[in-house]
Amino acid sequence: MSDRLHVGTRKGLFELERGPGGWDIVSTHFLGDPVSAVLQSADGALLAALDLGHFGAKLWRRSPAGEWRELAAPAFPPKPEDAADDPHPWSLGRIWALQPGGVPGRIWAGTMPGGLFRSDDDGETWQLNEPLWRMPDRRRWMGVAGGEQPGISAVLVDPRNPADIRLGVSTAGIWATTDTGATWSLINQGMYNEYMPPGQEGDPISQDIHQIAHCAARPEVMWCQHHNGVFRSEDAGANWRELAAIRPSKFGFAVAAHPHDPDTAWFVPSAKDERRFPVDGQVVVARTRDGGRSFEILRQGLPQRHAYDLVWRHGLSVDPDGRRLAFGSTSGGLWVSEDGGESWAAPDARLPPVACVRFAGA
Amino acid sequence: MPTVSFTRALERFLAAPTVAVEGATLGAALDAVFAERPALRGYVLDDQGALRRHVAVFVNGQLVRDRDRLTDPVAADDEIHVFQALSGG
């Protein structure tokens, strides 16, 4: 089980360890600066993406020996003249997802405004995935968070085949490659939206994928927290079935898939789009253990009175064993479970708004 | 030579001392700074070489006009200040 947890917040990176007395913050980094993504690699190095309000998106790496150093952040190439009508900027907005690529040294970075970057040297240098970025359909991607920029919120790499990758895009559906990004296709069927004009409800590219996750042991089983509901796929994201049993509500941002059991997943529902806080002010986790046919409401140890916490896309994590979970909220709440979500405990901290939570090794 | 000085807010991330550089435009002066300190470039300019949205640059106390191509002229005695724009909460 993972004994280390990283929490990226609006005002710094917090590192927690599990000691004899439970989970506690053991170190802080970048205090005052927004941290948008974090990844601990297999060798113990730590990558942290900063989203500096004035000075742009940055990337830092802590060596296994503990030394922080700034790396060159992913950057877009010069914008050509024939791209003058591109609705999205050719400049890095935010690093939103960092994911190991399944081969030594490789890391994928999903970003706003929708660029996918690849490193083959542990993050030292980055290359834009040109086929995806120069694809004409990319200009149809829609912005999130006030219509600003589209973002790649998830990069799912098949543990059996590093060439097989799925991207969850908010807002542009799910994109697939089976050749390490040389070619891409929009694959998601079966989703619907309630925010587009009549006739476009089922349009794959207009699906707002808040987050997707797959079962590491059975990666063809995927789960999605969509803007309009919760969905499951059993064919690696091609066809999706809505899980109408989700409760207490179908809106939310985060999802975690059990790494071994393809029938188990966790969600943290919020009341609805226009009321982004927990139903009745009670923080709960919804868990299914039967492939989404039914959901349990887990609330032991979570605030059940006047709680208005929202959990963002990267705010929920499950450890590689599938027993420990953690999630953090926009109100600075942080809760950890050691028993698959049955019960939760809050470390002694009042954190800034939480953007991302991730166990080491997850 | 014009001088270029930077907000002290950058000191948390990297060194950005005041320097005197050659350059007849804002872009040329900044390029001369970045030639010596390449890591500083991405803190001031975006990927297309424009001033970052929340960075404010003054020449002799006046906000610069051309934020995209940085063509504002600078003279030998000019003082260029790179600041954070007011934003956030």
Side-chain angles (χ1 to χ4, degrees):
Chain A
M1 285 195 283
S2 182
D3 289 326
R4 187 170 292 257
L5 181 67
H6 295 101
V7 181
T9 78
R10 177 85 175 267
K11 302 181 184 185
L13 172 63
F14 298 83
E15 189 163 25
L16 291 90
E17 281 182 4
R18 190 184 188 286
W23 290 88
D24 198 10
I25 295 171
V26 293
S27 62
T28 62
H29 312 277
F30 308 107
L31 283 181
D33 300 318
V35 177
S36 61
V38 63
L39 170 66
Q40 180 161 327
S41 55
D43 66 357
L46 185 67
L47 282 179
L50 307 187
D51 182 17
L52 303 180
H54 295 92
F55 305 118
K58 308 299 175 195
L59 189 63
W60 288 71
R61 182 176 190 270
R62 187 179 67 183
S63 70
E67 295 294 320
W68 282 105
R69 180 169 60 89
E70 185 175 3
L71 308 177
F76 287 85
K79 185 177 181 177
E81 289 190 5
D82 65 3
D85 61 346
D86 191 330
H88 308 304
W90 287 51
S91 192
L92 182 63
R94 176 188 300 169
I95 298 170
W96 223 16
L98 289 169
Q99 195 62 31
V103 297
R106 183 174 300 167
I107 303 168
W108 294 97
T111 75
M112 291 178 180
L116 176 70
F117 291 84
R118 170 177 156 179
S119 174
D120 285 310
D121 52 13
D122 294 310
E124 290 286 339
T125 61
W126 296 88
Q127 295 80 41
L128 175 67
N129 183 273
E130 298 269 355
L132 186 74
W133 183 251
R134 296 187 187 271
M135 182 180 61
D137 266 351
R138 202 254 315 153
R139 299 188 185 190
R140 296 178 57 208
W141 293 15
M142 293 187 293
V144 292
E148 292 178 355
Q149 296 183 0
I152 297 172
S153 65
V155 182
L156 301 183
V157 180
D158 189 325
R160 304 164 301 193
N161 175 11
D164 193 322
I165 298 166
R166 302 291 179 272
L167 306 179
V169 186
S170 190
T171 296
I174 294 167
W175 293 79
T177 180
T178 54
D179 51 19
T180 324
T183 59
W184 293 91
S185 57
L186 177 66
I187 62 167
N188 52 300
Q189 299 291 330
M191 295 172 163
Y192 70 95
N193 65 62
E194 298 170 340
Y195 47 78
M196 293 291 285
Q200 296 184 49
E201 298 91 340
D203 186 7
I205 204 170
S206 69
Q207 304 306 318
D208 185 359
I209 309 302
H210 282 182
Q211 190 56 291
I212 50 175
H214 66 189
C215 173
R218 290 268 308 278
E220 68 276 14
V221 172
M222 294 184 178
W223 307 83
C224 176
Q225 174 65 67
H226 179 287
H227 191 94
N228 289 124
V230 168
F231 295 83
R232 171 182 156 100
S233 169
E234 296 178 356
D235 56 7
N239 293 285
W240 293 83
R241 174 172 57 88
E242 185 176 16
L243 306 179
I246 184 71
R247 60 194 180 100
S249 54
K250 66 178 185 177
F251 186 81
F253 288 94
V255 55
H258 195 290
H260 313 308
D261 176 4
D263 286 334
T264 295
W266 298 264
F267 298 82
V268 189
S270 188
K272 57 194 289 193
D273 185 8
E274 304 85 353
R275 295 164 69 84
R276 297 184 174 194
F277 53 82
V279 174
D280 297 330
Q282 300 177 332
V283 177
V284 300
V285 171
R287 177 180 66 188
T288 178
R289 292 191 288 186
D290 57 9
R293 283 184 292 278
S294 67
F295 284 84
E296 306 159 85
I297 304 296
L298 309 173
R299 60 176 84 234
Q300 186 180 335
L302 298 175
Q304 296 301 297
R305 187 166 181 270
H306 281 300
Y308 300 98
D309 300 72
L310 179 70
V311 178
W312 282 124
R313 291 167 176 79
H314 306 99
L316 169 67
S317 180
V318 59
D319 90 329
D321 280 354
R323 291 290 294 168
R324 288 181 172 161
L325 291 113
F327 68 98
S329 80
T330 54
S331 304
L334 177 68
W335 297 276
V336 183
S337 173
E338 306 253 339
D339 53 11
E342 292 288 341
S343 63
W344 300 82
D348 184 15
R350 287 174 57 81
L351 295 175
V354 173
C356 54
V357 172
R358 196 169 199 176
F359 284 101
Chain B
M1 293 193 291
T3 59
V4 186
S5 57
F6 295 89
T7 170
R8 294 184 63 183
L10 283 167
E11 290 177 359
R12 284 192 297 141
F13 307 108
L14 72 180
T18 298
V19 288
V21 292
E22 299 283 354
T25 64
L26 172 63
L30 289 178
D31 277 346
V33 178
F34 300 149
E36 296 296 318
R37 298 182 177 277
L40 190 52
R41 179 185 178 88
Y43 282 78
V44 179
L45 306 182
D46 69 19
D47 295 358
Q48 300 302 314
L51 289 179
R52 288 198 172 280
R53 186 176 165 196
H54 297 296
V55 165
V57 176
F58 299 82
V59 176
N60 296 336
Q62 298 295 313
L63 269 174
V64 299
R65 295 181 179 179
D66 182 359
R67 296 178 55 86
D68 293 329
R69 295 185 301 130
L70 315 182
T71 57
D72 286 36
V74 294
D77 296 333
D78 283 356
E79 294 183 355
I80 300 168
H81 288 279
V82 179
F83 285 148
Q84 303 180 96
L86 293 172
S87 61

